[in-house]
Amino acid sequence: MNSVSEHKFSERFTFEELTEESTPRRIVESAIEEIGVNGLSGVTTKGISQRANLSTGIIHHYFDTKDNVVYAAYVYLIHDLHQSALAVFRQESDSRERLLAMIRMNFTSLHISPEARDVWPQFWAHAAHDERVGRLLRVYYNRFHSNLAHALKQLLGDQYKARQVASLLLSSIQGMWFTHRFTSYPEDMEDAVKLLEEHLDRLIRAYS
Amino acid sequence: MNSVSEHKFSERFTFEELTEESTPRRIVESAIEEIGVNGLSGVTTKGISQRANLSTGIIHHYFDTKDNVVYAAYVYLIHDLHQSALAVFRQESDSRERLLAMIRMNFTSLHISPEARDVWPQFWAHAAHDERVGRLLRVYYNRFHSNLAHALKQLLGDQYKARQVASLLLSSIQGMWFTHRFTSYPEDMEDAVKLLEEHLDRLIRAYS
């Protein structure tokens, strides 16, 4: 999480605290629920405090502003995906298996949960008009792209091709997640994953 | 626009008025700029009225609520894409050319303009927690999917395959638009379009 942790914004809170049972973590988990249910425009410190069963004073103590809590919520989601990616690299040594697992983790981990899945669209919307949030989103995609490219390099041999296919795969995963969430193409999540797996194999064949 | 026009919400405004020079249209165009610059959470009737150089009273007269203005802004974007699609079907008779034009229109029409491109992420975020907005987004994607499937049916012969490939193409267009907007994969818009064109040809070969 180095590049993310650097975005430190409060003397009384570090992103490390999100990884353990702590008051900041409890606040951030409540913020995720609030953002998911009410959207960015409906989130208030009061709403977060009620959900966390804490005073608004405690929230201000740790995060200073509501914007900082929301930002920490995005960091929390990104951290979760990053942990999933690390686990994939630890558990799988085969490159194709690693790629399949990286596809799957977008449809199985925390961020497809009822609480968190609707935070992502708020994150994107926020990134469109807030520089700090936009930078965070790019950090996440850069890291995901580089993980995909690393595994693809083993399969395709060539660095340039690996980065090209990583871009194609990244946009397909994003698009499939989106159309599954907001439309019925495809309705079933298992179908979404299967289509991406077939897509991966087609790309590997086309670029080998 | 039938299925969209049915979502009428005010006695003093019809979606038809968006197609001609009118006060409602002026309000909606200002709303698009406001949403793009400030995000959904920063939009106010006052901000829209100042941008349109109209009183807030006039806005309330036509739209009743701010939510209705925002909704009309989404309809306006969708209407624009729908007009582009109709023009494609009028101007091109070759199915592959129609598909290429439908890919391109996502990267050239109004909604990639500086004013409008950042309204889309707000639209998605809004759709995640507002039923009316979610329905509108689905209407749009259903129509786009059916336009793609129609052209693909001519090329692939088979209705089922055409719908499958339409889903894949839809998610790829969405994903490519997204990663081009929010990351640097690909940095250049022309590259994004070229990658999608190659993707289309690969899909046609794979499913023929």
Side-chain angles (χ1 to χ4, degrees):
Chain A
M1 307 259 308
N2 285 339
S3 42
V4 169
S5 300
E6 285 160 18
H7 297 268
K8 199 184 165 189
F9 47 69
S10 161
E11 290 306 314
R12 293 167 301 284
F13 161 72
T14 64
F15 285 112
E16 280 311 308
E17 289 180 83
L18 292 182
T19 61
E20 56 205 35
E21 285 302 325
S22 66
T23 303
R25 175 166 169 164
R26 190 160 137 207
I27 294 168
V28 164
E29 285 176 343
S30 299
I32 287 175
E33 290 173 25
E34 273 291 291
I35 299 167
V37 171
N38 297 320
L40 204 56
S41 51
V43 172
T44 58
T45 307
K46 187 146 186 267
I48 296 168
S49 80
Q50 284 171 343
R51 212 175 266 272
N53 206 14
L54 292 166
S55 74
T56 55
I58 287 284
I59 295 176
H60 286 298
H61 167 75
Y62 280 107
F63 293 93
D64 295 335
T65 65
K66 184 188 76 178
D67 270 6
N68 283 344
V69 186
V70 170
Y71 185 82
Y74 303 148
V75 171
Y76 185 73
L77 292 186
I78 286 183
H79 180 69
D80 175 75
L81 272 178
H82 183 52
Q83 292 303 108
S84 303
L86 288 180
V88 165
F89 275 86
R90 232 180 359 250
Q91 286 156 19
E92 303 282 357
S93 55
D94 178 74
S95 297
R96 186 170 165 278
E97 287 302 323
R98 281 180 172 177
L99 289 161
L100 293 175
M102 278 191 279
I103 289 172
R104 261 179 248 127
M105 80 186 197
N106 285 278
F107 294 88
T108 50
S109 64
L110 165 76
H111 79 301
I112 196 77
S113 73
E115 294 77 30
R117 65 168 196 169
D118 286 342
V119 177
W120 285 94
Q122 311 298 325
F123 189 178
W124 309 331
H126 207 161
H129 61 94
D130 182 303
E131 212 179 299
R132 180 172 69 157
V133 176
R135 213 162 39 227
L136 184 66
L137 194 64
R138 276 195 302 280
V139 165
Y140 163 62
Y141 278 107
N142 286 342
R143 188 188 287 145
F144 193 34
H145 186 270
S146 116
N147 286 339
L148 293 173
H150 181 84
L152 285 162
K153 169 84 167 25
Q154 312 300 313
L155 290 172
L156 303 173
D158 182 272
Q159 178 75 23
Y160 176 76
K161 271 191 200 172
R163 290 186 56 81
Q164 250 194 316
V165 175
S167 299
L168 289 170
L169 197 56
L170 185 71
S171 73
S172 299
I173 293 170
Q174 161 63 31
M176 193 65 80
W177 193 94
F178 184 96
T179 54
H180 166 67
R181 167 65 187 89
F182 285 109
T183 77
S184 45
Y185 314 112
E187 188 119 38
D188 191 52
M189 200 161 68
E190 280 309 307
D191 288 342
V193 173
K194 200 167 144 273
L195 286 169
L196 284 169
E197 289 176 353
E198 288 169 11
H199 182 50
L200 169 66
D201 286 335
R202 257 201 306 275
L203 282 173
I204 292 171
R205 271 198 306 276
Y207 284 81
S208 279
Chain B
M1 304 265 307
N2 286 338
S3 42
V4 169
S5 301
E6 284 160 19
H7 298 268
K8 197 183 167 190
F9 47 68
S10 161
E11 290 306 315
R12 291 167 301 284
F13 162 73
T14 64
F15 285 112
E16 281 311 307
E17 288 180 81
L18 292 182
T19 61
E20 57 204 35
E21 284 303 324
S22 65
T23 303
R25 177 166 168 163
R26 190 159 136 208
I27 294 168
V28 164
E29 284 175 344
S30 299
I32 286 174
E33 291 173 24
E34 273 291 291
I35 300 166
V37 171
N38 296 320
L40 204 55
S41 51
V43 172
T44 59
T45 307
K46 186 145 184 271
I48 297 168
S49 80
Q50 283 170 344
R51 213 175 265 272
N53 205 13
L54 292 165
S55 74
T56 55
I58 287 285
I59 296 178
H60 286 300
H61 167 75
Y62 281 108
F63 293 94
D64 294 335
T65 66
K66 183 187 77 178
D67 269 7
N68 283 344
V69 186
V70 169
Y71 185 81
Y74 303 148
V75 171
Y76 185 73
L77 291 185
I78 287 183
H79 180 69
D80 175 74
L81 271 178
H82 183 51
Q83 293 302 109
S84 303
L86 288 181
V88 164
F89 275 85
R90 232 179 2 248
Q91 285 155 19
E92 302 283 356
S93 55
D94 179 73
S95 298
R96 186 170 165 277
E97 287 302 322
R98 282 180 171 177
L99 289 161
L100 293 175
M102 278 192 279
I103 289 172
R104 262 179 246 126
M105 79 187 198
N106 284 279
F107 293 89
T108 49
S109 64
L110 165 76
H111 78 302
I112 195 76
S113 72
E115 294 78 29
R117 65 169 197 170
D118 286 341
V119 176
W120 286 93
Q122 311 298 325
F123 189 177
W124 309 331
H126 206 162
H129 61 94
D130 182 303
E131 211 179 300
R132 179 172 68 157
V133 175
R135 213 161 40 225
L136 184 67
L137 194 64
R138 276 195 301 280
V139 165
Y140 163 62
Y141 277 107
N142 286 342
R143 189 189 287 145
F144 193 35
H145 185 270
S146 115
N147 286 339
L148 294 173
H150 181 85
L152 284 161
K153 169 83 165 30
Q154 312 299 313
L155 290 172
L156 303 172
D158 183 271
Q159 176 76 23
Y160 176 76
K161 271 192 201 172
R163 289 187 57 82
Q164 251 195 314
V165 176
S167 299
L168 289 169
L169 197 55
L170 185 70
S171 73
S172 299
I173 293 170
Q174 161 63 30
M176 193 65 79
W177 193 94
F178 184 95
T179 54
H180 166 67
R181 168 64 188 87
F182 285 108
T183 76
S184 46
Y185 314 111
E187 188 118 38
D188 190 53
M189 198 161 69
E190 280 308 307
D191 288 343
V193 173
K194 200 168 142 273
L195 286 169
L196 284 170
E197 289 176 353
E198 289 168 9
H199 183 49
L200 169 66
D201 286 334
R202 257 200 305 275
L203 282 173
I204 292 172
R205 274 199 305 276
Y207 284 83
S208 281

